[in-house]
Amino acid sequence: AQLAQGIRSDGLWHEGSIGYHFFAVRGMLPMVHALNRAGVQIDYSPMQAMFTSAWELIQPDYGLPSLNDGARENFERTLRDEYEQALALFPNVPSIDDPLAIFGRGNSLPAVLWGPKEIRNEGWVDVQSVHFDSTGLAALRSGPFDRRSMALVDYGDHGGYHGHYDKLGLTLWMQGKLAIREAGADGYGQAISEEFFRSTLAHSTVVVDGINQSIACGTSAYFDTDAGSTISAKVEDAYPGVTMRRLVH
């Protein structure tokens, strides 16, 4: 059920959180490997997109966006073991073995048990601007990786319990430096987690009359990469009588 219903068509986890995206991955990987070893046939192919889509969201600091609740993830520090295990399931997929070739091999017991003996080391193809239309998320990029400018626009589903009131939220990197960031999350059980980190004020988006947005979902009117990268999105149900639009180019 998790494989069939939890993964959106663009490969991202349905809660819109990178932290919970990999929380799910870490639960699925040992089960899939165990079933394979026992000779039980299952269709785990949707998992491939969970790894390739995450790679397409890499930021200039090698981390992933801090969307909604969840732990911060980073290709250099937290994800090598998971990509080792994934490469055993999906060999010769560049966006799964590229992170290992760039940042090094995993060293946990599961990575050693399931990871391949060798990986390709043929250089890597840089990630480009991408639109995750099922999730409602666009990453716009320009410049070489070491001086990359990147804009991330979040306009999609709220994300259920782990969602934030952040429609049309913007994260911005300018020439490799973080200029506008998401608040991220601060765990659970503290008032600040509920009252600030999930609030509209904690995100770079529109606040009307000082109150949080309602649970909302926007739409994309335009995405193009022909002459630079452009995303246009709007939200009509965040505040009564208010239509919000954001154009990023």
Side-chain angles (χ1 to χ4, degrees):
Q2 296 290 316
L3 284 170
Q5 301 174 20
I7 306 168
R8 294 187 185 274
S9 60
D10 54 26
L12 295 177
W13 188 245
H14 70 99
E15 292 173 299
S17 159
I18 300 301
Y20 280 97
H21 180 99
F22 281 102
F23 181 86
V25 162
R26 291 176 179 116
M28 294 176 185
L29 280 170
M31 179 64 71
V32 169
H33 279 296
L35 291 172
N36 273 351
R37 188 173 180 85
V40 179
Q41 298 296 313
I42 63 167
D43 178 17
Y44 54 81
S45 59
M47 286 185 68
Q48 178 175 328
M50 296 186 79
F51 292 92
T52 58
S53 62
W55 180 239
E56 291 180 306
L57 283 171
I58 187 173
Q59 299 179 138
D61 66 345
Y62 314 137
L64 287 168
S66 299
L67 301 172
N68 293 346
D69 291 348
R72 296 182 186 275
E73 300 289 356
N74 185 289
F75 281 98
E76 188 174 35
R77 297 191 297 270
T78 68
L79 294 174
R80 289 182 292 172
D81 292 336
E82 289 72 24
Y83 275 74
E84 283 275 6
Q85 297 172 69
L87 191 57
L89 301 173
F90 309 106
N92 302 315
V93 176
S95 51
I96 295 180
D97 61 23
D98 280 352
L100 299 174
I102 296 167
F103 301 114
R105 306 292 300 271
N107 58 12
S108 69
L109 179 59
V112 173
L113 288 175
W114 303 114
K117 181 178 180 180
E118 297 178 344
I119 60 171
R120 295 182 317 117
N121 194 5
E122 303 170 357
W124 67 296
V125 178
D126 196 2
V127 290
Q128 306 299 314
S129 297
V130 61
H131 185 206
F132 299 94
D133 56 350
S134 178
T135 296
L137 186 65
L140 312 184
R141 295 179 171 93
S142 67
F145 194 88
D146 61 344
R147 298 186 304 279
R148 168 130 309 153
S149 293
M150 176 178 173
L152 187 83
V153 179
D154 175 10
Y155 66 86
D157 260 355
H158 182 72
Y161 175 78
H162 298 299
H164 290 186
Y165 303 97
D166 62 350
K167 292 310 98 181
L168 300 186
L170 174 70
T171 302
L172 181 65
W173 295 77
M174 298 294 293
Q175 297 187 343
K177 304 295 185 181
L178 183 59
I180 301 174
R181 59 165 291 173
E182 281 271 354
D186 190 42
Y188 302 103
Q190 302 180 75
I192 194 172
S193 301
E194 298 282 343
E195 296 171 7
F196 176 73
F197 283 96
R198 291 182 175 181
S199 72
T200 306
L201 187 63
H203 303 81
S204 181
T205 187
V206 176
V207 181
V208 175
D209 295 334
I211 63 174
N212 283 338
Q213 297 176 4
S214 299
I215 292 176
C217 181
T219 58
S220 171
Y222 182 77
F223 176 78
D224 183 70
T225 58
D226 289 338
S229 299
T230 306
I231 179 72
S232 174
K234 71 175 181 179
V235 179
E236 297 181 300
D237 54 350
Y239 294 104
V242 175
T243 296
M244 307 188 307
R245 293 183 175 88
R246 173 155 258 167
L247 173 68
V248 179
H249 175 73

mmCIF file of all heavy atoms in Angstrom, residues 160-179:
data_model
loop_
_atom_site.group_PDB
_atom_site.id
_atom_site.type_symbol
_atom_site.label_atom_id
_atom_site.label_comp_id
_atom_site.label_asym_id
_atom_site.label_seq_id
_atom_site.Cartn_x
_atom_site.Cartn_y
_atom_site.Cartn_z
ATOM 1 N N GLY A 160 -0.905 17.096 4.704
ATOM 2 C CA GLY A 160 -1.486 16.398 5.851
ATOM 3 C C GLY A 160 -0.956 16.935 7.179
ATOM 4 O O GLY A 160 -0.661 18.128 7.309
ATOM 5 N N TYR A 161 -0.832 16.064 8.174
ATOM 6 C CA TYR A 161 -0.415 16.487 9.516
ATOM 7 C C TYR A 161 0.942 17.185 9.504
ATOM 8 O O TYR A 161 1.209 18.080 10.303
ATOM 9 C CB TYR A 161 -0.366 15.282 10.457
ATOM 10 C CG TYR A 161 0.169 15.631 11.828
ATOM 11 C CD1 TYR A 161 -0.636 16.279 12.762
ATOM 12 C CD2 TYR A 161 1.497 15.329 12.173
ATOM 13 C CE1 TYR A 161 -0.139 16.615 14.024
ATOM 14 C CE2 TYR A 161 1.993 15.662 13.429
ATOM 15 C CZ TYR A 161 1.169 16.308 14.344
ATOM 16 O OH TYR A 161 1.677 16.646 15.574
ATOM 17 N N HIS A 162 1.825 16.767 8.600
ATOM 18 C CA HIS A 162 3.183 17.311 8.582
ATOM 19 C C HIS A 162 3.299 18.574 7.721
ATOM 20 O O HIS A 162 4.403 19.086 7.523
ATOM 21 C CB HIS A 162 4.163 16.250 8.069
ATOM 22 C CG HIS A 162 4.219 15.032 8.939
ATOM 23 N ND1 HIS A 162 4.613 15.095 10.250
ATOM 24 C CD2 HIS A 162 3.912 13.734 8.682
ATOM 25 C CE1 HIS A 162 4.562 13.871 10.775
ATOM 26 N NE2 HIS A 162 4.137 13.037 9.851
ATOM 27 N N GLY A 163 2.185 19.083 7.207
ATOM 28 C CA GLY A 163 2.231 20.239 6.333
ATOM 29 C C GLY A 163 2.438 21.552 7.063
ATOM 30 O O GLY A 163 2.157 21.687 8.254
ATOM 31 N N HIS A 164 2.940 22.538 6.304
ATOM 32 C CA HIS A 164 3.100 23.899 6.800
ATOM 33 C C HIS A 164 2.196 24.837 6.000
ATOM 34 O O HIS A 164 1.829 24.542 4.858
ATOM 35 C CB HIS A 164 4.560 24.352 6.665
ATOM 36 C CG HIS A 164 5.498 23.664 7.599
ATOM 37 N ND1 HIS A 164 6.830 24.018 7.723
ATOM 38 C CD2 HIS A 164 5.311 22.625 8.467
ATOM 39 C CE1 HIS A 164 7.416 23.249 8.626
ATOM 40 N NE2 HIS A 164 6.518 22.385 9.083
ATOM 41 N N TYR A 165 1.887 25.983 6.587
ATOM 42 C CA TYR A 165 0.986 26.961 5.940
ATOM 43 C C TYR A 165 1.837 27.904 5.090
ATOM 44 O O TYR A 165 2.040 29.070 5.417
ATOM 45 C CB TYR A 165 0.197 27.707 7.016
ATOM 46 C CG TYR A 165 -0.583 26.767 7.908
ATOM 47 C CD1 TYR A 165 -0.074 26.359 9.136
ATOM 48 C CD2 TYR A 165 -1.821 26.249 7.490
ATOM 49 C CE1 TYR A 165 -0.783 25.467 9.943
ATOM 50 C CE2 TYR A 165 -2.525 25.360 8.285
ATOM 51 C CZ TYR A 165 -2.001 24.971 9.510
ATOM 52 O OH TYR A 165 -2.697 24.077 10.303
ATOM 53 N N ASP A 166 2.316 27.373 3.965
ATOM 54 C CA ASP A 166 3.408 28.033 3.241
ATOM 55 C C ASP A 166 3.229 28.094 1.727
ATOM 56 O O ASP A 166 4.211 28.109 0.983
ATOM 57 C CB ASP A 166 4.712 27.292 3.536
ATOM 58 C CG ASP A 166 4.676 25.834 3.049
ATOM 59 O OD1 ASP A 166 3.596 25.348 2.662
ATOM 60 O OD2 ASP A 166 5.740 25.193 3.063
ATOM 61 N N LYS A 167 1.995 28.154 1.258
ATOM 62 C CA LYS A 167 1.802 28.112 -0.185
ATOM 63 C C LYS A 167 2.467 29.321 -0.867
ATOM 64 O O LYS A 167 2.394 30.439 -0.380
ATOM 65 C CB LYS A 167 0.326 28.071 -0.542
ATOM 66 C CG LYS A 167 -0.395 26.787 -0.147
ATOM 67 C CD LYS A 167 0.334 25.528 -0.605
ATOM 68 C CE LYS A 167 1.187 24.899 0.475
ATOM 69 N NZ LYS A 167 1.918 23.709 0.074
ATOM 70 N N LEU A 168 3.129 29.015 -1.984
ATOM 71 C CA LEU A 168 3.957 29.942 -2.763
ATOM 72 C C LEU A 168 5.237 30.310 -2.019
ATOM 73 O O LEU A 168 5.889 31.312 -2.327
ATOM 74 C CB LEU A 168 3.194 31.207 -3.176
ATOM 75 C CG LEU A 168 1.943 30.992 -4.045
ATOM 76 C CD1 LEU A 168 1.394 32.345 -4.501
ATOM 77 C CD2 LEU A 168 2.250 30.110 -5.252
ATOM 78 N N GLY A 169 5.623 29.483 -1.051
ATOM 79 C CA GLY A 169 6.875 29.706 -0.337
ATOM 80 C C GLY A 169 8.070 29.648 -1.272
ATOM 81 O O GLY A 169 8.122 28.856 -2.223
ATOM 82 N N LEU A 170 9.068 30.483 -1.007
ATOM 83 C CA LEU A 170 10.253 30.615 -1.852
ATOM 84 C C LEU A 170 11.519 30.345 -1.038
ATOM 85 O O LEU A 170 11.701 30.895 0.046
ATOM 86 C CB LEU A 170 10.326 32.028 -2.447
ATOM 87 C CG LEU A 170 11.583 32.372 -3.248
ATOM 88 C CD1 LEU A 170 11.606 31.609 -4.568
ATOM 89 C CD2 LEU A 170 11.660 33.881 -3.498
ATOM 90 N N THR A 171 12.372 29.476 -1.573
ATOM 91 C CA THR A 171 13.732 29.310 -1.078
ATOM 92 C C THR A 171 14.669 29.772 -2.185
ATOM 93 O O THR A 171 14.490 29.389 -3.343
ATOM 94 C CB THR A 171 14.035 27.846 -0.726
ATOM 95 O OG1 THR A 171 13.099 27.389 0.259
ATOM 96 C CG2 THR A 171 15.443 27.684 -0.183
ATOM 97 N N LEU A 172 15.670 30.582 -1.858
ATOM 98 C CA LEU A 172 16.504 31.191 -2.898
ATOM 99 C C LEU A 172 17.986 31.094 -2.551
ATOM 100 O O LEU A 172 18.406 31.446 -1.446
ATOM 101 C CB LEU A 172 16.123 32.666 -3.064
ATOM 102 C CG LEU A 172 16.876 33.460 -4.137
ATOM 103 C CD1 LEU A 172 16.568 32.902 -5.527
ATOM 104 C CD2 LEU A 172 16.531 34.934 -4.055
ATOM 105 N N TRP A 173 18.761 30.607 -3.524
ATOM 106 C CA TRP A 173 20.222 30.610 -3.460
ATOM 107 C C TRP A 173 20.735 31.541 -4.545
ATOM 108 O O TRP A 173 20.267 31.499 -5.679
ATOM 109 C CB TRP A 173 20.770 29.210 -3.700
ATOM 110 C CG TRP A 173 20.401 28.202 -2.653
ATOM 111 C CD1 TRP A 173 19.192 27.564 -2.509
ATOM 112 C CD2 TRP A 173 21.242 27.701 -1.627
ATOM 113 N NE1 TRP A 173 19.233 26.705 -1.446
ATOM 114 C CE2 TRP A 173 20.479 26.761 -0.884
ATOM 115 C CE3 TRP A 173 22.562 27.945 -1.256
ATOM 116 C CZ2 TRP A 173 21.007 26.069 0.196
ATOM 117 C CZ3 TRP A 173 23.092 27.263 -0.176
ATOM 118 C CH2 TRP A 173 22.317 26.336 0.543
ATOM 119 N N MET A 174 21.724 32.376 -4.211
ATOM 120 C CA MET A 174 22.328 33.292 -5.173
ATOM 121 C C MET A 174 23.830 33.010 -5.260
ATOM 122 O O MET A 174 24.558 33.183 -4.273
ATOM 123 C CB MET A 174 22.086 34.747 -4.764
ATOM 124 C CG MET A 174 20.619 35.140 -4.717
ATOM 125 S SD MET A 174 19.821 35.122 -6.345
ATOM 126 C CE MET A 174 20.680 36.475 -7.144
ATOM 127 N N GLN A 175 24.255 32.526 -6.421
ATOM 128 C CA GLN A 175 25.666 32.207 -6.658
ATOM 129 C C GLN A 175 26.259 31.353 -5.535
ATOM 130 O O GLN A 175 27.333 31.619 -5.009
ATOM 131 C CB GLN A 175 26.477 33.484 -6.864
ATOM 132 C CG GLN A 175 26.026 34.259 -8.101
ATOM 133 C CD GLN A 175 26.910 35.436 -8.422
ATOM 134 O OE1 GLN A 175 27.683 35.898 -7.585
ATOM 135 N NE2 GLN A 175 26.813 35.942 -9.642
ATOM 136 N N GLY A 176 25.530 30.317 -5.172
ATOM 137 C CA GLY A 176 26.002 29.348 -4.191
ATOM 138 C C GLY A 176 25.757 29.720 -2.745
ATOM 139 O O GLY A 176 26.068 28.927 -1.845
ATOM 140 N N LYS A 177 25.184 30.899 -2.487
ATOM 141 C CA LYS A 177 24.931 31.335 -1.122
ATOM 142 C C LYS A 177 23.427 31.369 -0.848
ATOM 143 O O LYS A 177 22.648 31.812 -1.688
ATOM 144 C CB LYS A 177 25.517 32.729 -0.881
ATOM 145 C CG LYS A 177 27.006 32.840 -1.167
ATOM 146 C CD LYS A 177 27.823 31.989 -0.204
ATOM 147 C CE LYS A 177 29.313 32.208 -0.435
ATOM 148 N NZ LYS A 177 30.142 31.364 0.479
ATOM 149 N N LEU A 178 23.032 30.904 0.332
ATOM 150 C CA LEU A 178 21.627 30.894 0.713
ATOM 151 C C LEU A 178 21.166 32.318 1.018
ATOM 152 O O LEU A 178 21.723 32.985 1.899
ATOM 153 C CB LEU A 178 21.416 29.999 1.928
ATOM 154 C CG LEU A 178 19.975 29.818 2.406
ATOM 155 C CD1 LEU A 178 19.098 29.220 1.314
ATOM 156 C CD2 LEU A 178 19.942 28.927 3.650
ATOM 157 N N ALA A 179 20.158 32.775 0.278
ATOM 158 C CA ALA A 179 19.656 34.138 0.446
ATOM 159 C C ALA A 179 18.317 34.172 1.175
ATOM 160 O O ALA A 179 18.092 35.027 2.029
ATOM 161 C CB ALA A 179 19.521 34.814 -0.921
#
